[in-house]
């Protein structure tokens, strides 16, 4: 390269982070971006307003054809791509809508990962190929009405009855629940906490949809009710007992959120930048006022620092070096930062910022859910604090 050459400053990529991505990763981004642009973007504001995700199964099949369902898993019809590939996909999915990324995360990082990591060979062969194709939809039942951040206190139980298992209990705030074909449900047993693969057509299982939400409205959120659900002995995930099972799955999903939340923030920044350069006040574009430029600069620093953090964690994951505490670091900071960006972008758009004609308010309300699920900001702060001090502060 000519020593005197200087690349132009790109306001969409001010730190040149795209230069750090491989050709494959850029291709993943463009493929997911195209699907979002053509199949979801034009309609998601209306879906959000109506509180529904129509044609969810058709959308799942399209995501399966694209190869993003369980894309970071190997074998069984999964794409076997890198953690950074998966992260780039999550970033684009959530730049479109958090509900879309949640559908993909719950399918691949929770339900599929649980079976892939802890299931029997028969369970993997039976469920994973159709889940990767989007023909079978999964959900993940851990959170309960009275136990969110403290899953060890769950009340859902499984008892042996002859060679069968019988499950009773309730799970709450379950993405995909109402449309799922299979649920991975965690329950207490005499041996400890176990995971069960539950076909949703099993007698005694129901999944009523939760309505009256002000966040993740373009997403299916459900309660799971298990009333004497009888399962064969081979329905249990055989390779894990205890919280290590569900927490390993949550760690996979949290990693995707590190990227996804930043995608929502980036969408808000782009909306604010576009709006400020076309909207005129006091005889010149909003972007020509000092306070607006200060807001844009602050948002850009936050978003692109978040991208660097996500890329760093993704590379560590690909190298087998990523620690759960580092995932907590990323989830805590990038989601909190995304909310700051969304709120600032809303002020740039003024009254238009609350309109669904723009993505900002939709992202802002969605991010309130993302802040809480897969571990609240308080729990991630305590995880980091315990790792730094060696002192456990979760319980008195």
């Amino acid at each position: 390269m000519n020593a005197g050459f200087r690349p132009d400053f790109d306001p969409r990529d001010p730190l040149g982070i795209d230069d750090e991505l491989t050709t494959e990763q850029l291709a993943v981004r463009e493929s997911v971006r195209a699907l979002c642009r053509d199949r979801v973007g034009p309609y998601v504001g209306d879906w959000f307003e109506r509180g529904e995700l129509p044609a969810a199964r058709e959308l799942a099949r399209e995501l399966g054809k694209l190869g993003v369902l369980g894309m970071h898993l190997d074998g069984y019809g999964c794409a076997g791509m890198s953690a950074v590939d998966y992260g780039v996909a999550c970033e684009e999915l959530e730049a479109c809508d958090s509900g879309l990324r949640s559908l993909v995360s719950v399918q691949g990082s929770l339900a599929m990962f649980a079976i892939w990591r802890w299931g029997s060979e028969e369970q993997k062969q039976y469920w994973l190929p159709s889940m990767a194709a989007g023909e079978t939809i999964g959900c993940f039942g851990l959170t309960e009405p009275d136990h969110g951040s403290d899953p060890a206190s769950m009340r859902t139980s499984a008892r042996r009855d002859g060679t069968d298992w019988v499950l009773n209990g309730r799970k709450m705030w379950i993405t995909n629940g109402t449309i799922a074909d299979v649920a991975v449900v965690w329950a207490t047993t005499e041996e400890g906490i176990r995971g069960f693969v539950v076909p949703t057509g099993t007698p005694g299982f129901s999944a009523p949809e939760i309505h009256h939400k002000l966040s993740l409205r373009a997403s299916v959120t459900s309660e799971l009710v298990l009333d004497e659900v009888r399962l064969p002995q081979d329905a249990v995930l055989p390779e894990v007992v205890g919280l290590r099972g569900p927490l390993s799955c949550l760690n996979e999903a949290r990693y995707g959120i590190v990227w996804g939340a930043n995608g929502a923030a980036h969408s808000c920044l782009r909306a604010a930048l576009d709006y400020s350069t076309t909207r005129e006040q006091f005889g010149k574009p909003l972007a020509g006022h000092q306070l607006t430029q200060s807001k844009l600069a602050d948002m850009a620093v936050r978003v692109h620092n978040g991208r660097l953090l996500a890329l760093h964690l993704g590379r560590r994951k690909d190298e087998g070096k990523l620690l759960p505490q580092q995932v907590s670091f990323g989830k805590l900071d990038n989601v909190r930062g995304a909310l700051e960006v969304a709120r600032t972008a809303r002020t740039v758009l003024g009254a238009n910022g609350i309109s669904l004609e723009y993505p900002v308010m939709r992202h802002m309300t969605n991010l309130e859910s993302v802040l809480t699920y897969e571990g609240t900001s308080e729990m991630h702060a305590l995880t980091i604090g315990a790792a730094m001090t060696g002192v456990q502060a979760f319980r008195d």
Side-chain angles (χ1 to χ4, degrees), residues 53-180:
L53 182 62
R57 287 188 167 278
E58 180 184 344
L59 187 57
R61 286 191 288 269
E62 291 188 45
L63 290 164
K65 289 178 183 177
L66 197 60
V68 300
L69 300 178
M71 64 185 289
H72 57 308
L73 307 179
D74 292 316
Y76 309 101
C78 302
M81 303 185 81
S82 72
V84 174
D85 291 328
Y86 176 56
V88 167
C90 287
E91 186 176 34
E92 286 302 314
L93 291 165
E94 194 145 2
C96 185
D97 191 76
S98 297
L100 181 62
R101 199 266 310 143
S102 294
L103 186 158
V104 171
S105 288
V106 169
Q107 178 85 346
S109 290
L110 292 180
M112 291 178 67
F113 179 81
I115 297 170
W116 182 85
R117 179 66 181 85
W118 305 115
S120 66
E121 185 61 28
E122 292 75 15
Q123 289 169 337
K124 296 174 189 178
Q125 293 283 359
Y126 185 83
W127 291 109
L128 292 180
S130 63
M131 294 178 80
E135 298 293 337
T136 297
I137 295 177
C139 67
F140 184 87
L142 178 64
T143 296
E144 297 189 351
D146 298 319
H147 301 286
S149 295
D150 184 17
S153 298
M154 72 174 66
R155 295 176 182 171
T156 299
S157 64
R159 71 177 191 275
R160 292 186 185 271
D161 184 17
T163 60
D164 291 344
W165 289 95
V166 179
L167 274 63
N168 284 281
R170 294 167 62 203
K171 301 295 182 179
M172 198 68 173
W173 304 115
I174 308 303
T175 297
N176 298 347
T178 305
I179 60 173

Side-chain angles (χ1 to χ4, degrees), residues 27 48 107 112 116 121 126 139 148 208 211 271 275 288 294-295 307 330 374-375:
F48 186 93
Q107 178 85 346
M112 291 178 67
W116 182 85
E121 185 61 28
Y126 185 83
C139 67
H211 298 287
Y275 186 86
S294 178
K295 291 177 181 181
R307 290 188 73 200
E374 318 301 356

Side-chain angles (χ1 to χ4, degrees), residues 93 167-168 182 192 313 330 343 376:
L93 291 165
L167 274 63
N168 284 281
V182 61
L313 295 182
R343 289 166 181 158
T376 66

Side-chain angles (χ1 to χ4, degrees), residues 273-312:
L273 183 59
D274 291 343
Y275 186 86
S276 68
T277 55
T278 56
R279 172 81 166 185
E280 288 197 0
Q281 291 290 290
F282 302 103
K284 61 180 178 180
L286 277 176
H289 296 275
Q290 290 182 359
L291 288 177
T292 302
Q293 290 196 4
S294 178
K295 291 177 181 181
L296 292 170
D298 287 344
M299 287 189 287
V301 168
R302 201 63 165 97
V303 166
H304 295 285
N305 279 347
R307 290 188 73 200
L308 286 172
L309 174 57
L311 180 59
H312 172 68

Side-chain angles (χ1 to χ4, degrees), residues 262-374:
N262 211 64
H266 206 174
S267 174
C268 292
L269 171 59
R270 288 193 294 263
L273 183 59
D274 291 343
Y275 186 86
S276 68
T277 55
T278 56
R279 172 81 166 185
E280 288 197 0
Q281 291 290 290
F282 302 103
K284 61 180 178 180
L286 277 176
H289 296 275
Q290 290 182 359
L291 288 177
T292 302
Q293 290 196 4
S294 178
K295 291 177 181 181
L296 292 170
D298 287 344
M299 287 189 287
V301 168
R302 201 63 165 97
V303 166
H304 295 285
N305 279 347
R307 290 188 73 200
L308 286 172
L309 174 57
L311 180 59
H312 172 68
L313 295 182
R315 287 174 171 172
R316 288 188 66 82
K317 185 169 173 59
D318 282 328
E319 294 167 358
K321 298 178 180 179
L322 185 62
L323 302 175
Q325 296 90 342
Q326 293 167 343
V327 177
S328 287
F329 192 109
K331 203 266 187 181
L332 174 65
D333 195 55
N334 274 12
V335 178
R336 198 161 54 184
L339 265 170
E340 292 174 6
V341 169
R343 289 166 181 158
T344 302
R346 211 287 305 158
T347 69
V348 173
L349 272 68
N352 285 321
I354 70 168
S355 169
L356 285 174
E357 293 182 18
Y358 300 89
V360 174
M361 195 72 176
R362 175 168 50 83
H363 283 311
M364 188 192 305
T365 60
N366 283 340
L367 286 166
E368 291 290 349
S369 291
V370 179
L371 186 71
T372 294
Y373 70 25
E374 318 301 356

Side-chain angles (χ1 to χ4, degrees), residues 17-37:
I17 297 172
D18 284 359
D19 294 342
E20 300 297 315
L21 301 179
T22 66
T23 302
E24 180 183 76
Q25 288 155 6
L26 292 171
V28 167
R29 184 175 72 182
E30 291 308 310
S31 297
V32 176
R33 183 176 291 176
L35 182 144
C36 291
R37 181 187 63 238

